[in-house]
Amino acid sequence: MSRRTRIFLALIAVYAIGMAALLYQLLAELDPRYRESAEEGLVETAQLLATVIEQDVEQGALPTDRIAGIFRDLLARRFSAQVYGLHKTRVELRAYVTNRHGTVVYDSTGRDLGKNYAGWRDVRNTLRGEYGARTTRDVPQDPNSSVMYVGAPIRWEGEIVGAVGVGKPVQSLGQFVAAARGNVISVGVVSGLSVLLLAIVLSFLLMRPLGITSDLLAALRTAWWHDEAGRRRFSPRRAWRAVRAQTRAAAQEVRDAIAGRNYVHDYVQQLTHELKSPISAIRGAAELLQEPGMPPDQQRRFTASIERETHRLQEVVDRMMELSALESRRLLKDQQRVELAPLLHELAAAARAQAPALRIDVHAVAGVAVEGDPFLLRRAVGNLLDNAVQFSTPRSGQAPDIVLTLRREGRMARIEVRDHGPGLPPFAEGKVFDKFFSLARPGSGKRSTGLGLAFVREIAALHQGNVTLGNADEPPGALAVLRLPLLRA
């Protein structure tokens, strides 16, 4: 993974972690806030009920019959209330009344009549004239059975003669909390993705103010094609491939823009390292040629060295310009139908003419076609074949030295270039497509510019394909595989 890709992914990770932390904090605050809101309502209900009871207190005696009648009618009452997403049909409030000693004289549930509640926080504090509240589970092992209670004092002639407690099951709040939690998650995710999308769009617009729309339209134009009768048709599959390629290229621009300085620095450093050797050789030969009395044969040798290194410099510069131009292309605008079998036979014939000592065979399935740039595809396969030729030596017998294979592989066309050379050393695996990485050729010991395979990789990506190079199975040798999407209307 490149440095600019790591930086891009790190920024995305930091953004995702920040959004996740914000959502977590919001979700953690939902339940306490709903409970606080419910408790505030219970406080007012308890005070109202205490006021009603105080109207019938006589000589400090609590009117339990009146209270029982009120709650009996209240709990039996049926109604229909649509509270947002909750349809409510009955009252879920609980209530109990204790005397001044904390003994329960009325309980709406009928379970604790006569028990002493003086130890409960809501009753104890209320009888002292303080605010009292508690949350208690009906079933100790079940957290969903919790009930919130709030107390209010019952007074007669300024003296606290009892306490009324009003309770509400916490589970009744769960529906609102769950709905709010779902809304927060939905809004948070949608907002986070929207902000991320907006940031990417703004990055595109800042980098290329007028290019995004024109590139997208150009990509969609490639979805139109002409059938054998010459009729113009639209292919959704081609449109999807074109938009996907454009999106991939735009994402690459974002990564390059984020880490562009490092990218340029690495590029210049690689180029400088590659040019240093031929420049030094040319300079040394030029200085030696200036010495007086040099024999003619040495002059010719140094002159040939200057010419050879100059040619190498020119080749590196030309390849770099080609590769740079190819990397700047985001999509193929003028695509054509390319039959691969004739292309392989043509390239094999040219390779046989350059290396007559090698036997080069072609095994190609007829009718395999792709859509793309014929020139670039010829260059890609040609580079793979040239690479195989340079690392191959003639073998004895009738076995071929290099085999070109073409077949279908699902929705892809698979092109294989198999040689029987020394193969890849372990240290070279994973580096062969790096710019300026090159291995010494057998026999001559010379190295190439190290840009050919990088060129092939860019061509494959531009055609929405991929290329690999590794060691083949027995017998030893290298196997290059180029995969390209099959042409389907």
Side-chain angles (χ1 to χ4, degrees):
M1 185 184 296
S2 64
R3 184 183 304 171
R4 59 179 182 276
T5 302
R6 290 196 297 268
I7 294 176
F8 180 76
L9 293 178
L11 292 176
I12 296 297
V14 170
Y15 173 77
I17 292 173
M19 287 298 300
L22 177 61
L23 284 178
Y24 178 81
Q25 185 65 27
L26 291 175
L27 294 175
E29 291 291 325
L30 281 179
D31 190 65
R33 299 290 84 79
Y34 268 89
R35 293 198 182 199
E36 290 173 359
S37 177
E39 184 175 341
E40 191 268 343
L42 288 177
V43 169
E44 295 184 351
T45 303
Q47 295 294 335
L48 174 62
L49 186 57
T51 302
V52 171
I53 295 173
E54 289 174 354
Q55 305 301 317
D56 296 325
V57 174
E58 295 181 1
Q59 300 300 319
L62 300 175
T64 56
D65 294 339
R66 173 73 183 278
I67 301 170
I70 291 175
F71 263 87
R72 183 175 58 250
D73 294 341
L74 178 64
L75 295 177
R77 189 181 186 88
R78 292 294 179 265
F79 54 88
S80 178
Q82 190 67 37
V83 185
Y84 295 99
L86 175 64
H87 185 214
K88 195 170 183 65
T89 60
R90 61 188 179 87
V91 174
E92 294 178 297
L93 285 177
R94 301 181 182 184
Y96 58 82
V97 179
T98 71
N99 59 22
R100 68 180 70 202
H101 305 295
T103 302
V104 177
V105 296
Y106 171 75
D107 180 13
S108 62
T109 64
R111 295 177 303 187
D112 294 340
L113 187 64
K115 290 186 178 181
N116 191 291
Y117 271 17
W120 289 118
R121 185 172 181 272
D122 57 329
V123 175
R124 184 179 65 251
N125 289 359
T126 300
L127 293 177
R128 292 176 181 173
E130 303 171 357
Y131 173 65
R134 64 181 169 95
T135 299
T136 307
R137 295 180 182 179
D138 280 347
V139 181
Q141 295 79 19
D142 185 7
N144 293 323
S145 65
S146 297
V147 181
M148 296 176 57
Y149 291 98
V150 171
I154 302 174
R155 291 184 171 88
W156 179 72
E157 294 183 354
E159 180 185 359
I160 297 178
V161 294
V164 59
V166 178
K168 188 175 183 62
V170 175
Q171 192 174 9
S172 63
L173 305 175
Q175 302 178 63
F176 297 104
V177 175
R181 184 177 288 110
N183 291 335
V184 170
I185 293 176
S186 300
V187 172
V189 171
V190 172
S191 300
L193 293 178
S194 300
V195 172
L196 180 61
L197 180 61
L198 179 61
I200 293 175
V201 171
L202 289 177
S203 299
F204 292 164
L205 296 177
L206 290 174
M207 288 185 298
R208 305 181 62 242
L210 301 177
I212 296 297
T213 304
S214 61
D215 284 349
L216 183 59
L217 293 177
L220 292 176
R221 280 197 295 270
T222 63
W224 294 93
W225 62 287
H226 294 84
D227 58 14
E228 296 179 355
R231 291 172 295 189
R232 197 162 182 259
R233 296 179 179 273
F234 180 81
S235 172
R237 185 169 181 268
R238 292 188 183 190
W240 165 245
R241 289 206 313 258
V243 171
R244 185 176 61 182
Q246 175 62 27
T247 303
R248 186 184 304 162
Q252 183 67 31
E253 276 198 15
V254 173
R255 291 195 297 267
D256 290 346
I258 292 174
R261 182 176 181 180
N262 291 328
Y263 179 75
V264 173
H265 177 268
D266 294 343
Y267 220 98
V268 172
Q269 189 177 37
Q270 291 174 343
L271 180 60
T272 302
H273 177 76
E274 189 65 22
L275 296 181
K276 184 183 298 183
S277 179
I279 290 176
S280 299
I282 293 173
R283 180 177 180 180
E287 291 176 352
L288 291 174
L289 285 174
Q290 295 177 4
E291 294 184 0
M294 177 176 290
D297 58 336
Q298 291 188 9
Q299 290 182 353
R300 287 191 296 270
R301 182 161 60 86
F302 288 126
T303 301
S305 175
I306 292 175
E307 182 179 0
R308 182 174 60 254
E309 296 300 333
T310 302
H311 177 73
R312 181 181 173 187
L313 281 174
Q314 186 64 47
E315 186 178 9
V316 170
V317 172
D318 291 343
R319 285 294 184 93
M320 280 294 297
M321 292 180 65
E322 291 178 357
L323 184 58
S324 177
L326 191 63
E327 289 179 336
S328 65
R329 296 176 65 173
R330 287 170 294 278
L331 60 109
L332 297 170
K333 296 183 180 180
D334 299 322
Q335 302 185 60
Q336 303 176 24
R337 177 187 177 91
V338 180
E339 293 284 348
L340 294 180
L343 177 65
L344 296 188
H345 284 290
E346 177 186 341
L347 292 171
R352 293 188 193 104
Q354 295 180 357
L358 295 176
R359 179 181 169 182
I360 303 175
D361 288 358
V362 179
H363 304 298
V365 176
V368 180
V370 298
E371 190 175 40
D373 188 317
F375 174 76
L376 292 179
L377 290 176
R378 187 176 290 106
R379 287 290 302 276
V381 180
N383 280 349
L384 294 178
L385 183 55
D386 289 343
N387 200 61
V389 168
Q390 293 174 14
F391 281 91
S392 297
T393 54
R395 297 196 301 168
S396 59
Q398 300 299 318
D401 301 298
I402 298 174
V403 179
L404 289 174
T405 305
L406 170 65
R407 67 172 184 268
R408 293 183 179 88
E409 188 181 71
R411 293 186 176 183
M412 306 291 284
R414 179 186 175 102
I415 301 173
E416 296 181 358
V417 181
R418 169 76 156 92
D419 65 52
H420 295 84
L424 294 178
F427 71 87
E429 295 180 4
K431 297 182 179 180
V432 289
F433 291 101
D434 293 347
K435 298 180 184 69
F436 303 114
F437 182 84
S438 179
L439 296 172
R441 272 48 180 169
S444 65
K446 294 182 179 180
R447 298 176 181 267
S448 67
T449 61
L451 297 174
L453 292 178
F455 196 75
V456 175
R457 181 178 59 182
E458 292 296 332
I459 294 175
L462 199 57
H463 287 79
Q464 301 178 48
N466 60 78
V467 61
T468 60
L469 176 60
N471 288 318
D473 298 331
E474 294 295 332
L479 174 64
V481 179
L482 175 62
R483 295 179 181 85
L484 300 169
L486 285 170
L487 176 59
R488 293 182 182 179

